[in-house]
Amino acid sequence: MILQKQFEKFNRNIKMDYDENSELASKRDILINKLKSDEDLPSFTVINQGSYAMYTGVKPLDNKDYDIDVGLRFNVNKDDYKPLDLKEKVYEILKDHTDYGAEIKQPCVTVTYKKDGNIGYHVDLVIYAYENKSDKNSQMYLARGKSGSKPENKKWEEADPMGLKDKIMGRFDDEDERAQYRRIIRYLKRWKNKVFKSNGNSEPPGIGITLLAYEKFEPKYKITDYVTLSREYNDLDALIYLVQQIKSMFLYQTYKNNRILYRIKLNLPVTPKTDVFFKMTDIQMTDFKDKIEELLNNLNEVKNEAEVLEQCKKLKDIFGDDFEVPEKKTTAKKQSYMFAPNSSSGGR
């Protein structure tokens, strides 16, 4: 179990606990209170969304900032406002709130904060309105567009942020299976942050990684006591299985400049059911495929390594310094004794 304990320690090292990050929580609350105190802005309720709501966030690497997605569900009918009306009101209230100010983007209003003299983090405020404000179960719409957008891109778009969260987090009823599910998502997010450049769209979006796990993840464990049904979870096997499944999802797209190009098309499981990878080009998606194949090869090398110490060294190369290598005296056992070769799946 030494390797599994190292995986779980790695998870604790990279896990982004927004509620425990008092600075981030404070900034979020100050923004919300400032908006609520403005008499010209319609009332709204707050929806936590994204990795913030799903507890799948990871701490940023040194050269990257991080964000929180916060939904503002305005108590208005979408037909009473143009898509940019509420976004521009929010922007006007917050434009001078920080040194970097606010910016209207296609899906949100972003407020950026400075930390240690550089961009440290940002809060993305997503604007929603109702089909019928009198019926809180009526269809919700997201305000898309910014001032320079084409007319067809300034629109109210059907959305279901609560449904998305419920589907992804409701994938597993069992608490321990759900915990492994979240750990594996975090591992893949840290890997992709390490190996992809964050500028442009070359890095797969976080929601894409999460939905790949939603579609293909299976719990991996062995039962250690058939009376109590106690289980030992095997994160390495679960990660290898998921990466294998992701590799198989890439389909031939085209042949260009002497290169076969591939991509994955993966739609949101709720309205508006858009392809979460639509911003990535075929070349960027094929680079993603190449990196997934390399990851799979590296993980299989880890699995085939008998010494736990060497396994951890290889995993540190894959994931970075947050995957710690234990002292040699604690890793005397061979990996073959850590997990049975036919480690069980969770019956899925």
Side-chain angles (χ1 to χ4, degrees), residues 22 57 62 68 82 203-204 208 213 227 242 256-257 267-268 273-274 296 301 307 309 329 337 341:
S22 58
D62 291 340
I68 310 179
K82 294 179 181 178
E203 182 179 5
V227 176
L242 176 56
K256 188 175 182 180
N257 296 330
N267 295 338
L268 289 170
K273 298 187 180 294
T274 51
L296 181 58
E301 286 184 10
E307 296 289 346
L309 188 66
K329 64 182 180 181
Y337 296 103

Side-chain angles (χ1 to χ4, degrees), residues 34-293:
K34 188 169 184 176
L35 292 172
K36 285 187 173 181
S37 65
D38 189 280
E39 295 181 356
D40 293 329
L41 194 66
S43 64
F44 61 86
T45 55
V46 175
I47 307 172
N48 293 330
Q49 55 184 57
S51 60
Y52 177 27
M54 299 177 200
Y55 303 99
T56 57
V58 295
K59 296 175 182 176
L61 295 172
D62 291 340
N63 61 338
K64 298 186 179 184
D65 66 335
Y66 55 96
D67 65 352
I68 310 179
D69 287 334
V70 179
L72 306 181
R73 183 166 52 183
F74 282 91
N75 298 307
V76 299
N77 296 329
K78 60 101 175 174
D79 288 341
D80 293 336
Y81 291 83
K82 294 179 181 178
L84 287 187
D85 288 350
L86 293 172
K87 294 177 82 171
E88 289 174 345
K89 285 179 180 291
V90 170
Y91 166 78
E92 285 298 323
I93 296 168
L94 301 177
K95 65 180 180 181
D96 298 320
H97 184 71
T98 70
D99 289 342
Y100 286 106
E103 179 184 2
I104 297 178
K105 296 183 178 180
Q106 280 286 346
C108 62
V109 177
T110 297
V111 180
T112 302
Y113 289 85
K114 181 185 291 186
K115 190 174 182 65
D116 299 327
N118 298 304
I119 293 177
Y121 48 87
H122 55 274
V123 179
D124 290 334
L125 300 167
V126 187
I127 311 302
Y128 296 101
Y130 288 99
E131 176 78 42
N132 177 8
K133 66 180 181 181
S134 298
D135 178 7
K136 300 310 180 187
N137 293 318
S138 69
Q139 179 64 55
M140 287 177 57
Y141 290 81
L142 182 153
R144 280 205 171 272
K146 54 184 180 179
S147 60
S149 299
K150 295 179 180 179
E152 62 268 25
N153 292 329
K154 297 177 183 178
K155 60 183 179 180
W156 286 108
E157 180 180 83
E158 288 188 2
D160 187 6
M162 301 303 292
L164 179 62
K165 172 190 170 183
D166 291 345
K167 270 188 173 293
I168 291 175
M169 287 300 98
R171 175 77 164 77
F172 297 96
D173 294 328
D174 183 273
E175 182 179 352
D176 292 330
E177 292 183 355
R178 188 166 59 248
Q180 188 184 51
Y181 175 49
R182 286 172 170 161
R183 289 197 302 272
I184 299 302
I185 291 172
R186 293 189 195 104
Y187 301 158
L188 278 180
K189 283 187 174 182
R190 169 49 62 92
W191 166 80
K192 70 110 175 173
N193 287 340
K194 182 174 180 290
V195 301
F196 288 92
K197 295 180 180 178
S198 59
N199 58 310
N201 298 307
S202 61
E203 182 179 5
I207 185 60
I209 297 296
T210 301
L211 282 179
L212 288 170
Y214 171 76
E215 291 287 339
K216 297 297 183 179
F217 170 82
E218 287 190 7
K220 299 293 179 182
Y221 55 80
K222 68 176 182 180
I223 297 176
T224 56
D225 187 325
Y226 282 90
V227 176
T228 63
L229 296 180
S230 297
R231 294 170 284 185
E232 286 182 0
Y233 279 82
N234 186 333
D235 286 5
L236 178 60
D237 277 359
L239 185 57
I240 288 174
Y241 178 83
L242 176 56
V243 175
Q244 286 174 331
Q245 297 305 305
I246 293 172
K247 176 185 173 183
S248 70
M249 293 175 71
F250 285 93
L251 301 176
Y252 169 81
Q253 189 69 17
T254 187
Y255 185 80
K256 188 175 182 180
N257 296 330
N258 297 318
R259 187 183 185 189
I260 299 175
L261 300 180
Y262 298 83
R263 71 181 303 115
I264 293 173
K265 292 185 178 179
L266 183 59
N267 295 338
L268 289 170
V270 298
T271 301
K273 298 187 180 294
T274 51
D275 180 1
V276 294
F277 295 116
F278 78 97
K279 289 185 178 180
M280 296 179 70
T281 66
D282 290 343
I283 291 175
Q284 290 169 338
M285 286 295 291
T286 304
D287 289 339
F288 181 23
K289 175 180 180 291
D290 292 343
K291 286 180 168 63
I292 281 288
E293 290 177 347

